[in-house]
Amino acid sequence: MPLRVLVITRIFPNAVEPLSSPFNRQQFAALGRLCDVEVMATIPWFPAASLLGRWTKSGALRAVPSRDVIDGLPVTHPRVLYVPKYGAGLSGALEAASLLRAVVARKERVDVVLGSWAYPDGAAAVALARMIGVPAVIKAHGSDLNVLSSMRGVRANLALALPRASRVVVVSEALGEQAVALGVDRRRIAVVSNGIDRALFTVRDQRAARDAVGWRRDGRMVLYCGRMVREKGIFELLEAFARIAEAEPDLSLAMLGDGPARAEAEAIARPLGERVTFLGARPLPEVPVWMSASSIVTLPSHNEGSPNVVREALACGRPVVATAIGGIPELLTSPMLGEMVPVRDPEALARALASVAARPFDATRIAASCGGSWEDSAASLLAVLEDAHREYVT
């Protein structure tokens, strides 16, 4: 009988946010082709959420259906009680309480509970798995350990839950060290790299890619691909580009993505005119075409786990300029692949952008270093889940 996995996560696409967290969707869809997977993709809720739909994410998500099928996976969207703004330390307990009845009802058809996002999902997964007598595995992604652990109430919850998981899955060695700092036995940590959709992210002709997206054929393009939030380093990127714009007249910057900081970023970029283009969010199949249209891809984040955008850019044969944080040094292992810079350093970022954009690059050689597929990633994750289950029942 194939392993039966119940995934609990708040980072998963839904009918309102179909482009959310494609890495989770892709990995779990691939996992679902290897074993039985059901996803509980939680929706944050509080009593006044429906009245505040215009101003809160909870209100905006009230239109998400209770059940769906996404990439062949059965998905439920249970509403999970939370306390806005000040209730972070309570979120794990509230999530477990909100999901208790639904999880107990599935007791006879679950072998492993997988919490995908260390807190509150991982903490809730540990509590719920104990209640139904199965092992819990926590999958950490990056800021759930790097950032949330700096919050005192959350850190206490993480230090309680993580060591009690049968396994903690991380996306990089660096993130594994964060788990160790929170009390996890190294022997229970498994590094499972993210994957790449090799049918989408592949080397393409740059001119054909530019024609496909309607970008001019001449000049060099720096592409940012990610959420429009301060933590992704977008303001340092705009400052860095402004520093080199005059000296690099054929260089342009394209910003692909959306988010709460977009309006502020557009206002900052206005003096640069057509040199900076905001593309908004794009469906996943368009992303590799934009990467192929670019000269380099950049990700100047303040914190990361092992960002898939770097793997995907490499798969498209593009060098990357990124901050030397998290698992990025484990990806950019050669000058051929790009350069790394310190966090929040626009001057260093400007120099690196100008330098890498001026170099010739071998797209085929770069693409050879991008890593495995989502099928490879899912197979590695399944092996960890099976080990946790085997250990638990013997």
Side-chain angles (χ1 to χ4, degrees):
M1 177 185 295
L3 195 71
R4 299 168 298 180
V5 181
L6 176 64
V7 176
I8 296 173
T9 183
R10 61 176 44 195
I11 51 171
F12 204 76
N14 55 58
V16 173
E17 297 177 325
L19 303 181
S20 174
S21 309
F23 51 88
N24 248 6
R25 175 183 59 77
Q26 290 169 298
Q27 186 184 54
F28 294 150
L31 183 66
R33 294 189 284 272
L34 301 175
C35 64
D36 290 339
V37 176
E38 180 183 357
V39 178
M40 281 187 170
T42 63
I43 302 296
W45 175 87
F46 62 97
S50 61
L51 302 177
L52 301 173
R54 185 178 300 176
W55 301 281
T56 69
K57 182 175 181 179
S58 302
L61 293 177
R62 68 191 187 279
V64 173
S66 60
R67 294 180 179 274
D68 207 342
V69 176
I70 299 173
D71 257 12
L73 295 173
V75 179
T76 57
H77 291 293
R79 272 52 180 174
V80 169
L81 182 64
Y82 86 109
V83 179
K85 195 171 182 178
Y86 300 109
L90 301 172
S91 295
L94 291 175
E95 181 164 312
S98 299
L99 298 178
L100 178 59
R101 180 180 296 181
V103 171
V104 169
R106 291 163 170 78
K107 179 179 179 179
E108 301 304 322
R109 58 180 194 270
V110 175
D111 296 318
V112 181
V113 178
L114 172 60
S116 184
W117 191 250
Y119 187 82
D121 304 324
V126 168
L128 293 167
R130 288 199 167 196
M131 290 180 188
I132 65 172
V134 299
V137 174
I138 295 177
K139 182 169 181 272
H141 297 259
S143 57
D144 48 352
L145 296 190
N146 293 329
V147 177
L148 294 183
S149 64
S150 65
M151 302 168 63
R152 185 164 53 182
V154 173
R155 187 177 183 87
N157 278 277
L158 287 170
L160 183 66
L162 288 168
R164 288 168 171 77
S166 294
R167 296 288 188 279
V168 174
V169 176
V170 293
V171 294
S172 68
E173 296 286 352
L175 197 60
E177 292 303 314
Q178 291 281 12
V180 170
L182 288 161
V184 182
D185 187 330
R186 288 184 186 274
R187 294 170 296 180
R188 294 185 175 273
I189 296 173
V191 178
V192 175
S193 299
N194 283 337
I196 299 157
D197 186 337
R198 291 187 174 276
L200 287 177
F201 293 91
T202 186
V203 175
R204 306 166 192 244
D205 178 76
Q206 186 182 62
R207 287 192 171 189
R210 290 192 173 191
D211 288 345
V213 297
W215 193 266
R216 59 187 177 276
R217 284 192 171 188
D218 61 320
R220 297 167 296 157
M221 182 224 291
V222 176
L223 177 70
Y224 166 83
C225 182
R227 292 193 68 225
M228 291 289 166
V229 292
R230 183 175 297 275
E231 295 76 15
K232 289 292 184 180
I234 60 173
F235 297 119
E236 290 90 349
L237 174 58
L238 291 170
E239 182 179 340
F241 185 77
R243 287 172 181 248
I244 60 174
E246 185 175 352
E248 306 285 347
D250 72 326
L251 195 64
S252 57
L253 173 63
M255 307 282 283
L256 192 158
D258 210 343
R262 179 176 172 178
E264 184 179 355
E266 288 181 337
I268 291 172
R270 200 161 290 132
L272 294 166
E274 295 182 354
R275 300 286 298 279
V276 180
T277 302
F278 288 83
L279 305 170
R282 298 292 197 206
L284 184 62
E286 289 189 29
V287 174
V289 186
W290 279 102
M291 287 181 171
S292 298
S294 73
S295 305
I296 63 173
V297 175
T298 187
L299 185 69
S301 295
H302 299 170
N303 61 79
E304 288 287 351
S306 182
N308 235 47
V309 66
V310 173
R311 293 178 182 275
E312 292 165 348
L314 297 177
C316 293
R318 292 301 177 265
V320 176
V321 172
T323 38
I325 53 165
I328 292 176
E330 298 169 37
L331 301 176
L332 299 182
T333 57
S334 162
M336 173 187 72
L337 305 179
E339 288 188 15
M340 290 179 289
V341 299
V343 175
R344 298 184 180 89
D345 190 337
E347 183 177 351
L349 180 59
R351 289 196 302 267
L353 291 173
S355 173
V356 177
R359 300 177 194 167
F361 60 88
D362 186 328
T364 302
R365 287 184 65 200
I366 291 173
S369 68
C370 66
S373 67
W374 281 115
E375 287 71 24
D376 298 328
S377 178
S380 297
L381 178 57
L382 177 60
V384 175
L385 297 171
E386 288 178 332
D387 282 347
H389 178 252
R390 189 180 306 112
E391 180 183 280
Y392 192 87
V393 299
T394 56

